Amino acid sequence: ATATQPAAEPAPDARTPRERLVDWMADDRKLTQREIEVALLIATGRSKAVIAKKLFVSENTVRTHAKNAYAKLGVHSKQQLMDVLEAHMA
């Protein structure tokens, strides 16, 4: 008689919490790369003016990306955005 092999353990996720968060935003919530960048910068407290300068776009473009990101994430405020992102980094 042969011994049965125990079930293999799932491979540990080598991604960082930030990488898992970005993958969730892109794959599950369908945010574009720019919407992800803007959402993460907003969540770290950057103003739309600072984000616009950093990304070399207008403040209106930042507002558009932020609006789209908020809609796709189902949030309505910066605090809700931070709460959702924090929950998915855990």
Side-chain angles (χ1 to χ4, degrees), residues 31 34-36 38-39 42 48 51 59-73 75 81:
L31 271 73
R34 204 54 136 178
E35 290 165 352
I36 292 169
V38 168
I42 290 170
K48 288 181 177 69
I51 295 169
E59 285 186 51
N60 193 49
T61 298
V62 172
R63 274 191 281 285
T64 298
H65 288 314
K67 180 179 144 194
N68 292 339
Y70 276 43
K72 290 177 183 181
L73 293 170
V75 299
L81 172 68

Side-chain angles (χ1 to χ4, degrees), residues 21-33 36:
L21 175 64
V22 168
D23 288 348
W24 171 76
M25 291 167 68
D27 299 339
D28 293 0
R29 296 307 203 157
K30 306 301 183 208
L31 271 73
T32 66
Q33 285 305 117
I36 292 169

